[in-house]
Amino acid sequence: MFNYLKEPILYQQSKDAIWLDPHISKQLLAAHLDGNNEGASRNPQFIQQSVDWICQLFPAAKYPKIIDLGCGPGLYAEPLTRLGYQITGIDFSAESIQYARQQALNKQLAITYIKEDYLNQELPDGSYDIALLIYCDLGVFSSKDRQRVFQKVFASLRANGVFIFDVFTAQHYRDHQDSKTWQIEQNSFWSQTKCLRLQQNKHFPEASTFLERHYLIYPDYVKEFFIWDTIFEPQQLIAELHSCGFSEVAYYGDVTGTKYQEISETICLVAKK
């Protein structure tokens, strides 16, 4: 039996995962593909600006092989492939990978898609020129797992390879307030069948981390989802990247190369091996 009153410990994993839930994973794929909704992916114009910026900094002629971590339905992989890059995408959502593979087949794009959790997937050493981790996925990890990601990516890159990723800043959560709410769900994002959804939003200030906690209560069972998100400042990540072996780190306001400012809601880091 679940205990909604018991506070989870920092980075505790929930019993269920939204990306693997049969109903919610379909809703998340739809959100990825909805160009007017940035809940799962950024809008198509921003994505194209990101692709153009990456191509300008690291052209395919010099940086041909890309590993796209958390690739989703291939929204970055497809335009990058058209610009001459060789893309491998990894995502553990079966819905997203199935869609991405079908799209690549339909459009005759030579993209390799792997259905796996990139935190646990072995990446071949020294194989890639660029590693991407876009739309602030890094924030879901504990500090220990974040180091695992950095080390794994570093090992997978060739000499002079680059790691491009983004994270949220405190500005993104400037209006956050701890809260607890409930509502009935039916034919919604969360559930097709009728259930009671309990939600808690909580800030863990000692770790600069936020938790969005959901319980879906049905007559015979309960689903539990924890969504963690850590925020960062540039110098913290620069120090962590250096400790993992990266030699040079630049940072920007987002993944289109805008200048970072105190009001920026994201930080994009470009770390060179």
Side-chain angles (χ1 to χ4, degrees), residues 244-256:
C244 291
F246 289 95
S247 60
E248 302 174 22
V249 183
Y251 63 93
Y252 305 85
D254 60 34
V255 194
T256 67

Side-chain angles (χ1 to χ4, degrees), residues 17-217:
I18 60 172
W19 292 101
L20 303 180
D21 183 85
H23 173 75
I24 298 175
S25 62
K26 290 182 172 63
Q27 308 308 306
L28 286 168
L29 175 59
H32 271 301
L33 302 176
D34 182 353
N36 298 315
N37 175 11
E38 294 199 348
S41 293
R42 293 192 172 96
N43 66 74
Q45 181 181 2
F46 185 97
I47 291 172
Q48 188 59 55
Q49 290 173 343
S50 295
V51 168
D52 292 342
W53 179 64
I54 291 168
C55 188
Q56 180 182 2
L57 287 182
F58 308 106
K62 293 185 177 180
Y63 298 83
K65 297 188 69 174
I66 295 180
I67 180 75
D68 185 3
L69 305 171
C71 64
L75 300 183
Y76 289 86
E78 290 187 11
L80 286 166
T81 298
R82 293 192 181 96
L83 291 171
Y85 295 94
Q86 303 166 44
I87 311 295
T88 298
I90 300 179
D91 201 294
F92 70 167
S93 168
E95 292 287 339
S96 287
I97 288 296
Q98 181 179 353
Y99 177 89
R101 286 172 175 166
Q102 188 61 54
Q103 289 297 301
L105 181 64
N106 294 346
K107 299 171 184 178
Q108 298 184 328
L109 297 173
I111 305 173
T112 299
Y113 287 114
I114 300 170
K115 189 188 80 66
E116 186 56 80
D117 181 349
Y118 61 78
L119 185 63
N120 299 318
Q121 174 73 10
E122 290 297 325
L123 303 179
D125 289 350
S127 295
Y128 303 105
D129 301 288
I130 301 173
L132 302 178
L133 181 57
I134 295 180
Y135 211 1
C136 305
D137 280 7
L138 193 73
V140 305
F141 296 116
S142 67
S143 56
K144 180 180 179 180
D145 283 342
R146 186 168 67 247
Q147 289 296 302
R148 287 178 59 197
V149 172
F150 288 167
Q151 292 163 359
K152 183 185 293 284
V153 168
F154 183 84
S156 75
L157 291 172
R158 294 172 175 170
N160 298 314
V162 293
F163 180 25
I164 303 171
F165 67 96
D166 58 349
V167 294
F168 285 123
T169 69
Q171 190 68 12
H172 181 73
Y173 284 97
R174 61 188 178 276
D175 297 325
H176 169 86
Q177 293 183 345
D178 284 4
S179 63
K180 291 183 178 181
T181 60
W182 67 270
Q183 69 181 68
I184 301 297
E185 300 286 349
Q186 189 172 19
N187 298 322
S188 69
F189 173 90
W190 289 100
S191 182
Q192 185 69 30
T193 57
K194 191 174 183 179
C195 70
L196 173 66
R197 179 170 64 89
L198 307 180
Q199 177 175 344
Q200 178 189 27
N201 295 335
K202 180 176 174 60
H203 183 203
F204 292 73
E206 70 281 5
S208 299
T209 297
F210 295 82
L211 170 64
E212 187 178 309
R213 182 165 63 132
H214 300 267
Y215 290 96
L216 307 185
I217 304 173

Side-chain angles (χ1 to χ4, degrees), residues 224-259:
E224 173 187 73
F225 304 105
F226 295 169
I227 306 169
W228 296 97
D229 193 15
T230 299
I231 58 174
F232 299 92
E233 295 183 357
Q235 296 306 318
Q236 173 191 353
L237 289 170
I238 290 172
E240 291 184 13
L241 289 161
H242 282 319
S243 73
C244 291
F246 289 95
S247 60
E248 302 174 22
V249 183
Y251 63 93
Y252 305 85
D254 60 34
V255 194
T256 67
T258 61
K259 183 179 179 181

